[in-house]
Amino acid sequence: SMLQSPKPSRASPREMVLVTAALSLLGAFMPRPHPIHVQQSRSASATEMPRVIASSLSLQFCRLSGTSSPAEWSSRARPMTAMADAVVDADAEIFQFEAEVSKVMDIIINSLYSDKDIFLRELISNASDACDKKRFLSLTDESTSAYEGRIRVLADKEANTLTIEDNGVGMSRTELQNNLGRIAQSGTKKFTEALGASNDATNLIGQFGVGFYSAFLVASKVTVVSKSADGPQLRWESSEANSYTISPDTSEAMEGSGTRLILSLKEEADKYVQDFTLRDMLKRYSEFISFPIQVWTEKTEYDTVPDPDAEVNEGEEPPTKSVPRTSNVWETVNVAKPLWMRPPKEVSEEEYEEFYKTTFRAYDKPDAYVHFSLEGQVEFRAMLFLPSTVPWELSQDMFNDKVKPVKLFVKRVFISDSFEEQLLPRWLSFLKGMVDSEDLPLNVSRELLQKSKVLSIISKRLVRKSIDMFNDIAKDAEKFDKFARNFGRYIKVGVIEDKDNKDALLKLATFTSTESGDAGTTLPQYQERMKDGQKAIYYISGASKAAAASSPVLEGLRKKGYEVLVAVDQIDEIALQGIGKFGDYDVVDAAKENVDAGEMSEEEKEKSEAAKKTFEQTCTFIKDTLGDSVDKVEVSSRLTSSPSALVQPQWGMSPQMQRFMKAQAASSGGDMTGMMSGMSANLELNPTHAAVLKVKGMIEDSAAGAEDYARLLYEVAAVSSGYEVQDPAGFAKRVVKLMAGDDEISGEGTSDTATVDSGEGASETPTSENAPIVPEVIEE
């Protein structure tokens, strides 16, 4: 409050004690700056921050105490500082956090990891780190020969034990105590720090210091036999992770240095001694470890030997037989190489293909791939592959949750392919790929990927590289046609969901059109074919291309020769609706009201205005007759040969989308009736069509049957425009009456027969009561 005063007065001795104590506390809790000095300290580094703030405070205290310099104030304030410190020290005690070791171990073992299989990944990674350390040390030791590291895994079914052995650096007694006996102390991390922060000669995996304890997930007892280069062979042993012992080891001696880890498996963990299970786990998690992983396996070979029991004919070679011979050998399981660690120029197409098939268990050949790395703020390497066919799981469900497009590696060790925050958006779920990065924010168990800016950077780069790969494919018409058939729907989903890359994806999205034949067309291709004077890109939805192309609402556009995109899929329609504008052209639904089909001549405008006035009574009568079935009835300027058509209001829903929404609601047990009731279409009439003129005359003459004809105009428009007829029974009845030739509706008599002129004479046809006579215009 004194510092905030515009003209602070001289500080009293009591206030000096308070501010001096405050300075003492500030010195103890640096470097968080005081708000007053934020501006002064913005340019200071973290190490300079305490000095900057202390200097600034000293000047303020000089001003308050009336001293001439910080030195004078410091000499006067020193006794008070000591007094304040004495007060603080007298009342405060410092305590260290304590923990119940057995409880912490229980949390680490049983709560940190969600999958017991993780233990093998962690232990193999530890063995790889030990080999990497020895490899690095051997590079600086001229007296040693070239080091060849290896990791061996031995399963003993009879003893129910699993042994993992490496010929790495090994551990001394002190290192066994520190690395295994002290929780969360990473020997690998200490080794890396000892090399220096700028040294990148190693690529070690460990960092948290808890991976070793994952062994207790499956083992009731863990024995570690280790030997450092110049030390004795020691045995570290612990049961149930309660306590441990260290003693000299008298078992089989290790050559040089190394570590042998023996897991006495629990009864329920006996599957880990099965050869198939071990191989599957090693290939899944540690396929790309830089040192060979060898499994002690039984191998059966067949020798060809003479058959002593067979008869030998004179002049013929003695018969032979195959005799099985069983032997145990060390077999290397991680034969695949981490191609992403090599420069792309050094990798052949055959190697990419083999990597794709091996890593993703695929049988097809990838149509395209991209291999890249990013260095700078975030460092990672990645490879993406485009399958040549739609994966079977995606053919059943477009966004199948079981399909995991990206595998995540950290320093060549597989971490997971299933995260809450996906590295690729779902519209790219058809790709296969991998990412190897040391900067990803993993939790301690390395199973969960946390949200961070790093993840966003990697995801954006993956998407960008994917689009670049698609653009390269688009340069080859044949390849792009195949790509569009297989994965075109996913690109349209990207148009809908990925606003950042919408413009780039619009150039790749393909749609059926009235002029494209069997092949689709992209928007840039459509734009090249646009007619002079065309102001917009038009589209229409329909159950099929033929049905949509024959819609009466396109008659005006067809007359001008305009091409129209056809949305035969719900995704097509949603994507086109969300485009808004492509280049300089609006993307317009041709089945909506007030569609601008180009400029009208003055004569056409005058005819349109005259027709609206002439048909005002007709439109009103038909609207009253149809009620809520239509939103409004008006004269059309787009119809040329059809009598009527249904169009949607500006925010209406197409008939195709209405059916889709109803089906979705039905599958989920909902009801769309209430929602659809407010989505009535507009009825447009062709003022030059004979059928419309006939109805107009009947309405003006108040003829009987005018209402039925009005309903028929609506129902014919619904059928031809792709809508469902709301009253199919009534529609059928009215059509049958027309076919039967009942003349009462037309007002020409009520006789029991109707005369139908066949050309050379007249014949009488019996008619049902109240059936209308078919007007001449129906033939058209």
Side-chain angles (χ1 to χ4, degrees):
S1 63
M2 295 189 317
L3 293 176
Q4 290 173 354
S5 173
K7 294 182 179 180
S9 58
R10 185 182 297 273
S12 65
R14 178 176 178 276
E15 289 170 333
M16 285 300 296
V17 171
L18 291 175
V19 295
T20 306
L23 179 59
S24 177
L25 291 174
L26 279 173
F29 293 98
M30 289 299 170
R32 184 178 295 278
H34 193 281
I36 298 174
H37 308 284
V38 168
Q39 294 296 332
Q40 300 176 7
S41 59
R42 274 181 179 168
S43 61
S45 65
T47 56
E48 296 173 328
M49 194 75 72
R51 180 178 57 79
V52 171
I53 298 177
S55 174
S56 179
L57 281 175
S58 297
L59 294 174
Q60 295 286 353
F61 292 148
C62 289
R63 179 164 165 252
L64 289 171
S65 60
T67 54
S68 58
S69 67
E72 180 185 351
W73 173 83
S74 178
S75 63
R76 290 175 53 182
R78 192 172 292 111
M80 292 180 284
T81 303
M83 179 176 65
D85 289 341
V87 173
V88 173
D89 293 342
D91 296 337
E93 292 183 60
I94 298 176
F95 297 94
Q96 295 291 333
F97 287 106
E98 297 180 359
E100 187 179 340
V101 177
S102 61
K103 185 64 176 176
V104 172
M105 289 298 293
D106 180 69
I107 292 173
I108 291 175
I109 295 169
N110 298 312
S111 301
L112 196 60
Y113 300 97
S114 62
D115 187 358
K116 289 184 178 182
D117 291 356
I118 296 297
F119 87 93
L120 190 61
R121 181 193 72 185
E122 297 296 315
L123 299 181
I124 293 293
S125 298
N126 288 348
S128 174
D129 280 350
C131 294
D132 236 334
K133 293 174 191 176
K134 188 169 182 178
R135 180 191 62 81
F136 179 77
L137 294 174
S138 68
L139 296 176
T140 60
D141 188 354
E142 298 179 356
S143 63
T144 60
S145 58
Y147 170 69
E148 295 183 1
R150 52 114 180 102
I151 303 168
R152 287 180 169 175
V153 181
L154 172 63
D156 189 336
K157 295 181 180 180
E158 294 182 1
N160 199 32
T161 60
L162 183 65
T163 302
I164 302 171
E165 182 177 330
D166 66 74
N167 62 344
V169 290
M171 289 177 282
S172 63
R173 180 181 292 269
T174 302
E175 288 172 329
L176 284 172
Q177 287 179 273
N178 292 336
N179 296 344
L180 305 186
R182 183 173 294 176
I183 302 170
Q185 175 161 308
S186 173
T188 295
K189 190 173 183 180
K190 291 183 68 177
F191 180 82
T192 306
E193 291 172 351
L195 296 176
S198 62
N199 196 305
D200 59 352
T202 61
N203 194 18
L204 303 177
I205 301 167
Q207 55 180 319
F208 297 116
V210 296
F212 167 76
Y213 306 105
S214 64
F216 290 99
L217 286 168
V218 298
S220 57
K221 184 175 75 172
V222 177
T223 302
V224 179
V225 178
S226 190
K227 182 181 183 301
S228 59
D230 300 323
Q233 187 164 307
L234 301 173
R235 174 182 290 263
W236 181 100
E237 198 166 73
S238 176
S239 298
E240 303 294 347
N242 291 324
S243 60
Y244 65 89
T245 60
I246 299 178
S247 60
D249 180 69
T250 58
S251 64
E252 181 185 352
M254 285 184 286
E255 183 180 350
S257 63
T259 300
R260 183 185 302 133
L261 182 63
I262 306 169
L263 306 182
S264 299
L265 299 175
K266 300 175 183 178
E267 290 184 7
E268 65 271 18
D270 58 353
K271 69 175 183 177
Y272 297 112
V273 296
Q274 302 297 326
D275 185 73
F276 175 80
T277 302
L278 273 179
R279 289 172 179 273
D280 181 65
M281 292 169 59
L282 288 171
K283 291 185 75 68
R284 188 194 325 159
Y285 292 112
S286 307
E287 173 76 12
F288 302 104
I289 290 291
S290 54
F291 300 98
I293 303 173
Q294 301 173 343
V295 176
W296 185 250
T297 184
E298 186 178 274
K299 204 167 187 179
T300 302
E301 296 179 346
Y302 291 88
D303 297 329
T304 302
V305 298
D307 187 358
D309 300 328
E311 295 182 2
V312 180
N313 298 324
E314 186 177 351
E316 296 181 358
E317 293 184 1
T320 60
K321 65 177 182 178
S322 297
V323 179
R325 176 169 51 87
T326 302
S327 61
N328 290 84
V329 294
W330 290 108
E331 184 178 350
T332 302
V333 296
N334 58 329
V335 293
K337 304 300 181 184
L339 295 186
W340 65 87
M341 303 299 293
R342 293 162 54 186
K345 294 181 180 179
E346 298 179 3
V347 185
S348 65
E349 185 176 347
E350 291 74 19
E351 287 178 306
Y352 281 121
E353 182 179 342
E354 183 62 28
F355 178 88
Y356 168 76
K357 292 180 178 180
T358 303
T359 306
F360 303 106
R361 299 182 180 180
Y363 299 97
D364 61 321
K365 180 181 177 181
D367 275 349
Y369 52 82
V370 59
H371 177 189
F372 66 97
S373 62
L374 178 66
E375 297 179 358
Q377 182 183 3
V378 178
E379 294 186 5
F380 72 94
R381 300 171 186 269
M383 298 172 69
L384 294 173
F385 296 87
L386 174 67
S388 58
T389 60
V390 180
W392 184 84
E393 297 85 351
L394 295 181
S395 66
Q396 307 301 309
D397 181 358
M398 188 174 177
F399 300 111
N400 195 323
D401 293 336
K402 295 180 180 179
V403 176
K404 309 300 180 184
V406 177
K407 293 180 180 289
L408 174 65
F409 293 79
V410 173
K411 301 177 181 178
R412 304 181 307 281
V413 177
F414 173 66
I415 300 301
S416 182
D417 55 8
S418 178
F419 297 104
E420 182 179 352
E421 289 294 318
Q422 296 294 337
L423 290 172
L424 282 179
R426 71 172 190 158
W427 66 268
L428 284 175
S429 59
F430 60 91
L431 293 179
K432 301 290 184 183
M434 54 71 51
V435 173
D436 191 335
S437 174
E438 302 174 27
D439 297 327
L440 285 174
L442 298 169
N443 72 334
V444 178
S445 68
R446 299 195 293 178
E447 293 178 282
L448 301 177
L449 191 60
Q450 302 164 355
K451 293 182 180 180
S452 76
K453 185 179 179 182
V454 174
L455 181 63
S456 176
I457 293 173
I458 294 177
S459 179
K460 287 181 179 179
R461 183 54 62 96
L462 291 175
V463 173
R464 184 68 259 170
K465 285 293 184 179
S466 300
I467 295 175
D468 290 343
M469 178 170 62
F470 302 155
N471 285 328
D472 290 339
I473 295 174
K475 296 175 183 178
D476 187 316
E478 185 177 348
K479 288 184 177 179
F480 185 69
D481 182 57
K482 179 182 178 182
F483 170 76
R485 290 197 311 270
N486 288 337
F487 309 110
R489 298 185 77 210
Y490 290 92
I491 300 301
K492 294 164 192 172
V493 172
V495 171
I496 298 168
E497 297 181 350
D498 195 339
K499 302 303 179 186
D500 294 334
N501 297 289
K502 176 181 173 182
D503 293 338
L505 292 174
L506 280 174
K507 298 177 182 178
L508 295 167
T510 57
F511 302 92
T512 303
S513 83
T514 55
E515 304 294 333
S516 64
D518 295 333
T521 181
T522 62
L523 291 180
Q525 292 170 343
Y526 176 99
Q527 202 169 359
E528 292 175 1
R529 297 192 296 266
M530 289 177 65
K531 302 294 183 180
D532 293 338
Q534 185 174 341
K535 294 184 176 181
I537 297 174
Y538 301 99
Y539 73 91
I540 188 172
S541 63
S544 65
K545 177 181 176 179
S550 62
S551 175
V553 298
L554 300 184
E555 292 174 355
L557 299 177
R558 280 198 297 266
K559 184 178 180 180
K560 295 184 177 182
Y562 291 173
E563 182 178 0
V564 180
L565 301 175
V566 180
V568 295
D569 190 294
Q570 291 80 15
I571 294 177
D572 292 359
E573 183 174 356
I574 297 173
L576 289 167
Q577 283 178 348
I579 294 175
K581 212 173 184 66
F582 182 76
D584 298 329
Y585 299 96
D586 292 328
V587 180
V588 178
D589 186 350
K592 291 289 178 72
E593 64 177 348
N594 302 325
V595 171
D596 184 3
E599 294 185 0
M600 299 174 62
S601 63
E602 290 297 326
E603 182 181 355
E604 290 175 334
K605 289 180 181 180
E606 291 177 1
K607 287 183 178 180
S608 177
E609 292 298 325
K612 289 179 181 179
K613 294 180 180 178
T614 304
F615 280 84
E616 185 174 351
Q617 180 185 358
T618 303
C619 292
T620 302
F621 177 87
I622 295 176
K623 168 59 180 168
D624 294 339
T625 301
L626 299 177
D628 294 334
S629 297
V630 294
D631 187 53
K632 58 184 177 182
V633 180
E634 57 188 359
V635 174
S636 175
S637 59
R638 72 179 91 195
L639 298 176
T640 59
S641 59
S642 299
S644 57
L646 288 183
V647 299
Q648 278 293 326
Q650 196 61 34
W651 303 108
M653 188 182 297
S654 71
Q656 187 78 350
M657 188 58 64
Q658 287 182 21
R659 282 191 286 272
F660 174 72
M661 295 295 290
K662 288 179 180 178
Q664 290 289 95
S667 63
S668 60
D671 185 10
M672 294 289 294
T673 304
M675 181 178 177
M676 296 297 182
S677 61
M679 294 187 179
S680 300
N682 297 345
L683 176 63
E684 291 191 359
L685 304 177
N686 183 355
T688 62
H689 198 280
V692 177
L693 293 173
K694 179 73 174 181
V695 174
K696 176 177 178 294
M698 294 175 67
I699 293 172
E700 292 174 350
D701 296 339
S702 301
E707 292 186 358
D708 274 353
Y709 276 109
R711 294 186 188 280
L712 274 174
L713 279 178
Y714 166 75
E715 289 162 343
V716 168
V719 172
S720 60
S721 301
Y723 290 80
E724 293 181 359
V725 177
Q726 297 176 353
D727 182 16
F731 174 56
K733 185 177 180 180
R734 281 183 283 274
V735 172
V736 169
K737 285 184 178 180
L738 282 173
M739 295 173 64
D742 195 323
D743 65 344
E744 184 175 331
I745 292 180
S746 64
E748 295 182 0
T750 58
S751 62
D752 294 335
T753 60
T755 301
V756 180
D757 190 354
S758 63
E760 296 183 0
S763 63
E764 292 187 351
T765 304
T767 60
S768 60
E769 187 177 0
N770 297 328
I773 292 179
V774 182
E776 295 80 1
V777 294
I778 293 299
E779 293 182 1
E780 181 179 355

